[in-house]
Amino acid sequence: MKFYVLTIFPELMETLLRSSILGRAEKNGFLDFHVLNIRDYSTDRHKKTDDYPYGGGAGMVMTAQPVYDAYEAARKEIGGPVRTIYLTPAAKVFTQKDAKAYAKEEALILLCGHYEGVDQRVLDEIVTDEISIGDYVLTGGEPAAWVLIDAISRMVPGVLTNETSGEQESLEGGLLEYPQYTRPELWRDHRVPEILLSGDHAKVDAWRRDQAILKTKAVRPELLAEAELTTKERARFLSEPPSHDA
Ligand code: ADE
């Protein structure tokens, strides 16, 4: 899968993308990162990429020209149609479902905004998807682009070496992850839950499933409405006092 990142901080993005699991996956040919420096595409003699906002107000706005030309360069390399994501806090919040869906694309372009925003005309022209990573405001789109690329990449076949680990985890089936333990069995008076030492895989699975539901109920109860629970599980964990007007 190919990622094209349009940014005014290319060195930062290169470092983030070429480290750790993503870096290894790129070396092994499963991912392909292209970081385009928006400044390189500026036709201004000082390579300017921002200007004062029409109508006044604080801060600067990224100009349309260099963003559009960087986008065009990426699009030409990709060839066919491509989803172009603009990272902004003024958008729907990214979820694991989105990560899985985007992982099916052959290529994506991500546009990192800065200052007080980007000239709306170029956004109207190139952006297909607007995405926020949460209800808080960052100084720029780069951390958000990295979050998206990381979450999407690990859903691309081949990127995680243990092929199943992308599936059996937090938020799969809409539940948070169950707790994990490793050696030693006894650490500072704390024992590993006995059931994990039993060797009974069915029991271990059932225990983990219960833990995942309990954790979700405790910290993110709103997720349970959408979670894939059996009728039995719903009765066990979601039992509310019976309603009288039924
Ligand atoms: N740019 C600034 N804040 C952001 C956020 N929360 N998500 C995505 N892009 C952003």
Side-chain angles (χ1 to χ4, degrees):
M1 180 168 182
K2 293 188 173 75
F3 291 95
Y4 285 77
V5 185
L6 316 183
T7 173
I8 54 168
F9 292 114
E11 298 86 3
L12 171 70
M13 284 311 295
E14 296 271 3
T15 306
L16 293 175
L17 297 175
R18 302 231 143 79
S19 316
S20 184
I21 294 178
L22 299 192
R24 185 192 64 202
E26 188 180 38
K27 277 203 191 88
N28 293 338
F30 297 109
L31 301 174
D32 194 2
F33 299 123
H34 301 263
V35 178
L36 284 75
N37 185 354
I38 293 171
R39 193 170 303 281
D40 290 345
Y41 294 87
S42 173
T43 53
D44 176 82
R45 58 196 163 101
H46 305 294
K47 296 276 169 202
K48 250 170 65 109
T49 58
D50 63 328
D51 212 329
Y52 296 98
Y54 277 119
M60 304 289 273
V61 177
M62 283 172 73
T63 52
Q65 178 274 319
V67 171
Y68 185 73
D69 287 5
Y71 161 81
E72 272 292 290
R75 202 186 53 81
K76 277 193 188 121
E77 261 188 55
I78 294 164
V82 56
R83 285 173 91 169
T84 301
I85 302 172
Y86 174 49
L87 288 314
T88 167
K92 85 174 268 297
V93 175
F94 184 64
T95 65
Q96 185 64 22
K97 244 190 215 143
D98 300 321
K100 277 180 138 177
Y102 282 130
K104 297 195 168 79
E105 300 287 324
E106 258 172 54
L108 285 177
I109 297 176
L110 293 97
L111 169 61
C112 305
H114 258 270
Y115 314 114
E116 298 307 305
V118 180
D119 191 307
Q120 187 61 41
R121 291 167 297 179
V122 69
L123 297 178
D124 291 344
E125 194 81 9
I126 70 174
V127 171
T128 59
D129 305 40
E130 294 192 339
I131 296 281
S132 165
I133 61 161
D135 292 334
Y136 39 78
V137 182
L138 305 167
T139 56
E142 284 78 8
W146 188 42
V147 166
L148 254 72
I149 293 171
D150 194 277
I152 296 165
S153 292
R154 56 194 296 292
M155 290 293 123
V156 172
V159 170
L160 296 184
T161 25
N162 177 358
E163 206 49 69
T164 58
S165 58
E167 298 289 324
Q168 300 234 324
E169 66 190 355
S170 248
L171 297 173
E172 274 302 319
L175 294 175
L176 303 184
E177 201 166 13
Y178 52 78
Q180 294 277 20
Y181 300 85
T182 185
R183 286 191 289 188
E185 241 179 83
L186 178 67
W187 178 75
R188 285 168 59 105
D189 288 348
H190 305 289
R191 286 207 162 277
V192 169
E194 206 58 41
I195 192 139
L196 298 178
L197 312 174
S198 68
D200 185 334
H201 294 301
K203 275 200 182 141
V204 168
D205 287 350
W207 180 84
R208 286 178 166 168
R209 173 100 189 147
D210 286 359
Q211 295 298 312
I213 297 171
L214 289 169
K215 172 84 186 189
T216 309
K217 189 178 176 183
V219 304
R220 298 289 305 279
E222 77 279 12
L223 293 179
L224 286 178
E226 293 283 310
E228 293 160 22
L229 297 187
T230 64
T231 318
K232 254 191 188 160
E233 285 169 342
R234 291 204 172 272
R236 268 179 71 211
F237 294 102
L238 304 185
S239 57
E240 277 142 34
S243 138
H244 290 293
D245 42 51

